[in-house]
Amino acid sequence: MPRLFVALPLPEDVRERLGLLAGGVPGARWVDPENLHLTLRFIGEVDGGWAEDVISALAGVSAKPFELSLAGVGHWGTKERANVIWAGVEKNPGLTHLQSKVESALVRLGLEPEGRKFSPHVTLARLSGSPAARVAKFIADHNLFRLPPFQVTAFTLFSSFLSRGGAIYTPEVEYALLGT
Ligand code: 3AM
């Protein structure tokens, strides 16, 4: 059964620049630059028939291309026990619009609505037992992190395979943003 999620792939130069942030936090498992992405919706495991339905439902999503800027870093979890370090996204109505179209297409299909508010981010590292002071230092050091904007012209359905060496993400279907 494939495990699926919908995400924006990131241009290679953006992934390289994000990859340069890795380091300085004990207990951090940094995401390989080739795997960096911005998740729009985690779907989870679906059987073959459902996967086909997901593929065609996403083909019905229409949204315009838009510019995206990555800026800032932060963490999930508590201050004492952070579990993820991420790069942030500047406020972006185009992104919010696309995400809500993807969400409603999947809910129409019968998936449970995502209960959590959409908080766009790019996961940079997953943490276990990282000292709070080192996480705080990382975030303070990269306070002014910002990349030049790039054009988002497509979103992608990925499959995720969990292996011992970490998750392997494979782009399965790319959907062009063509405008409405
Ligand atoms: O892009 P990020 O790293 O925030 O954490 C997983 C990753 O999100 C998330 O889906 C993205 C691609 O794997 N994910 C994994 N399992 C999940 C679950 N059960 C999940 N999100 C919600 N519920």
Side-chain angles (χ1 to χ4, degrees):
M1 256 203 295
R3 182 181 162 90
L4 301 174
F5 65 100
V6 182
L8 298 184
L10 302 173
E12 190 176 357
D13 57 331
V14 168
R15 286 185 281 110
E16 277 172 8
R17 293 280 298 274
L18 290 170
L20 295 176
L21 294 173
V25 181
R29 277 174 294 119
W30 298 91
V31 177
D32 283 343
E34 66 182 31
N35 277 337
L36 290 165
H37 61 271
L38 191 164
T39 299
L40 297 175
R41 175 58 143 93
F42 178 74
I43 297 174
E45 294 196 358
V46 296
D47 66 28
W50 261 94
E52 288 305 319
D53 290 346
V54 165
I55 288 169
S56 39
L58 292 174
V61 168
S62 79
K64 291 181 186 159
F66 55 89
E67 275 202 339
L68 187 90
S69 300
L70 298 180
V73 292
H75 68 83
W76 301 138
T78 63
K79 207 169 175 186
E80 292 70 33
R81 197 183 280 256
N83 50 24
V84 163
I85 287 176
W86 43 258
V89 179
E90 286 195 339
K91 193 171 155 55
N92 191 316
L95 174 63
T96 310
H97 175 74
L98 172 62
Q99 190 274 338
S100 66
K101 288 248 175 153
V102 166
E103 175 68 16
S104 52
L106 294 173
V107 170
R108 263 200 307 278
L109 199 58
L111 265 74
E112 281 293 311
E114 169 60 67
R116 293 176 300 185
K117 186 174 176 292
F118 178 52
S119 302
H121 64 277
V122 177
T123 294
L124 299 176
R126 296 190 168 76
L127 310 180
S128 50
S130 299
R134 298 295 290 273
V135 177
K137 183 175 183 328
F138 177 91
I139 287 168
D141 286 350
H142 298 291
N143 186 25
L144 298 178
F145 173 76
R146 190 173 196 286
L147 292 183
F150 61 92
Q151 192 73 6
V152 176
T153 55
F155 69 95
T156 301
L157 177 67
F158 285 90
S159 63
S160 163
F161 174 70
L162 302 177
S163 78
R164 271 169 164 256
I168 298 168
Y169 301 140
T170 307
E172 299 289 349
V173 186
E174 184 179 280
Y175 300 91
L177 299 177
L178 296 173
T180 46

